[in-house]
Amino acid sequence: MPTPPRESRLPGRFIIGTRGSPLALAQANEFASRLGAAHGWDGAELPLDVIRTTGDAIQNRALAEAGGKGLFTKEIDAAQLAGTIDFAVHSAKDLPTALPPGLVVGGYLPREDVRDALITRGIARLADLPRGATVGSASLRRQAILRRARPDLAITLLRGNVGRRLDKVASGELDATLLALAGLRRLGLADRASGILSIEECLPAVGQGAIAIVIRAGDPAAAAALGRITCRDTGHALAAERAFLTELDGSCRTPIAGHATVAGERLHLRGLILSPDGAASAEGERHGSVTEAAQLGADLGRELRARAPAGIYDPA
């Protein structure tokens, strides 16, 4: 059923826009639960509007070939700008570096575990996969890191929701895949992880494990409601990570990883860019105050762009 225009809604009622995958719905319901608990609202006051995106419809090719990260957000952006939804719930790693004019990230929920999980049929370590094992992934970052660690592996494209990816391994069609541990936990599927890769083994994607809440710029009611549940430390970490990605003009065509941690008022950021085959890379880190988060990210992005081996960095 179409969402009613903003003017016809009940006072104080907010509509939440989300994709329809099981993980997207789990994240939207987590947001609704947190927001409702903070304000004493029941589910009827925070209905979900499930929106199918272009990215959901494309399953047989890499996102870079189809247009990049915005494929998972543009239909939701349009609904938000039209006023038919108030909040948009996104996996932070799916957000483009620049949002459409009129939309802003209002904040982030507390971040989940950022590590990647290894999915196999009983093998807990990447090093123990058989020589020539077939590993499926849609992430250029994961593909490049896998190729760097194990050049012998056969890497193939694997798109689709978490359940489909798990099934491909369980059926024997693939020997392994990598999935975000955060997503498995939110779906109650953490027991399907055969092993967990350390951050040193597999630096996460920018935004991995974080849920971003987008609102309209100049919507004080939504901003005030959201202010009770957003996580300060996650906000600082993502400010650094997204500034790093922005400086690299990060699209879906360059393998890029970035992860920031916050301890009190201090922030530590690590960044990595790789060639698609994993053979060449540039990495670095920054330490500083959380008040300098965006500057630290931008500085590291510029450094890695300048130090990137020939052919590794191509924002075009």
Side-chain angles (χ1 to χ4, degrees):
M1 178 181 296
T3 305
R6 189 71 183 93
E7 295 74 24
S8 66
R9 297 185 201 160
L10 298 173
R13 188 174 188 240
F14 291 98
I15 294 180
I16 300 167
T18 177
R19 294 166 56 202
S21 72
L23 179 55
L25 291 172
Q27 293 180 160
N29 282 314
E30 177 182 342
F31 169 63
S33 177
R34 288 178 180 271
L35 192 64
H39 293 276
W41 297 333
D42 62 27
E45 293 172 285
L46 296 169
L48 301 186
D49 187 355
V50 177
I51 299 169
R52 183 169 173 80
T53 70
T54 302
D56 294 314
I58 298 171
Q59 297 293 321
N60 61 351
R61 53 194 169 124
L63 290 179
E65 299 173 9
K69 289 184 178 182
L71 296 173
F72 283 125
T73 60
K74 66 179 183 178
E75 286 84 1
I76 297 175
D77 293 342
Q80 197 157 27
L81 290 170
T84 59
I85 62 173
D86 301 290
F87 297 108
V89 182
H90 298 285
S91 293
K93 68 178 181 179
D94 288 340
L95 280 183
T97 51
L99 300 186
L103 298 181
V104 296
V105 176
Y108 302 90
L109 300 189
R111 199 172 200 173
E112 247 288 3
D113 197 313
V114 302
R115 294 175 295 173
D116 282 303
L118 178 64
I119 310 297
T120 68
R121 295 183 302 282
I123 296 173
R125 299 192 314 149
L126 189 61
D128 293 334
L129 285 174
R131 185 169 181 81
T134 301
V135 183
S137 178
S139 161
L140 291 185
R141 172 189 64 90
R142 289 175 178 143
Q143 290 176 5
I145 288 173
L146 285 167
R147 289 180 173 123
R148 179 169 69 167
R150 290 285 307 272
D152 61 289
L153 296 176
I155 310 298
T156 187
L157 178 68
L158 176 60
R159 292 286 318 281
N161 63 35
V162 169
R164 178 176 183 270
R165 299 184 198 199
L166 291 172
D167 289 345
K168 291 280 188 179
V169 175
S171 69
E173 186 173 340
L174 297 171
D175 294 307
T177 189
L178 296 180
L179 295 173
L181 181 58
L184 293 174
R185 287 186 168 180
R186 289 182 174 124
L187 290 169
L189 296 171
D191 61 339
R192 299 290 294 274
S194 307
I196 300 171
L197 277 61
S198 69
I199 289 175
E200 288 68 32
E201 287 179 282
C202 193
L203 194 66
V206 163
Q208 185 153 309
I211 297 174
I213 311 301
V214 173
I215 61 176
R216 283 182 295 276
D219 187 343
L226 188 58
R228 293 195 187 183
I229 64 168
T230 52
C231 177
R232 167 192 176 274
D233 286 355
T234 303
H236 288 314
L238 267 290
E241 292 175 24
R242 286 178 61 77
F244 166 72
L245 190 64
T246 298
E247 190 63 37
L248 289 168
D249 194 23
S251 67
C252 292
R253 291 178 284 274
T254 305
I256 298 172
H259 177 235
T261 55
V262 173
E265 298 303 310
R266 302 296 293 175
L267 182 143
H268 176 216
L269 171 67
R270 295 177 58 185
L272 168 69
I273 59 176
L274 306 102
S275 59
D277 63 3
S281 64
E283 55 190 305
E285 59 186 327
R286 286 289 189 279
H287 297 267
S289 167
V290 294
T291 61
E292 304 170 311
Q295 187 61 53
L296 292 169
D299 286 347
L300 183 56
R302 284 191 291 268
E303 177 194 328
L304 295 196
R305 186 174 62 187
R307 291 202 290 109
I312 193 177
Y313 174 70
D314 181 9

